[in-house]
Amino acid sequence: IIGWRAGEEAAPSYALKVTGQYDFAEFFSAIVDVYFNYDPNQTRLKRNGAEDLFEYEFGDFNQLGTNITLQARF
């Protein structure tokens, strides 16, 4: 796995998705999705100066995302 040092094992990651739908007319609705992800394996590349080598560092374990969709049914 990218970013891990020798001898370390990957940790489990978890994800959760919640979806809701609101029908505000006979043919129209709004759909909202909320995503949460916990991933302790996430890494990113970082360097201190322009000439330095890249090193891996662990990113933020918790991530939150949303999606809103307006839908018309014919």
Side-chain angles (χ1 to χ4, degrees), residues 12-17 34-42 60-65:
S13 63
Y14 303 97
L16 175 70
K17 177 184 175 185
V34 178
Y35 306 93
F36 174 76
N37 186 36
Y38 174 79
D39 186 3
N41 302 307
Q42 180 189 9
D60 188 13
F61 294 164
N62 300 311
Q63 298 177 3
L64 183 67

Side-chain angles (χ1 to χ4, degrees), residues 1-5 37-46 55-64:
I1 295 175
I2 296 176
W4 286 94
R5 285 169 257 158
N37 186 36
Y38 174 79
D39 186 3
N41 302 307
Q42 180 189 9
T43 59
R44 60 182 172 198
L45 290 172
K46 174 187 170 187
E55 296 179 0
Y56 288 103
E57 74 172 7
F58 287 98
D60 188 13
F61 294 164
N62 300 311
Q63 298 177 3
L64 183 67

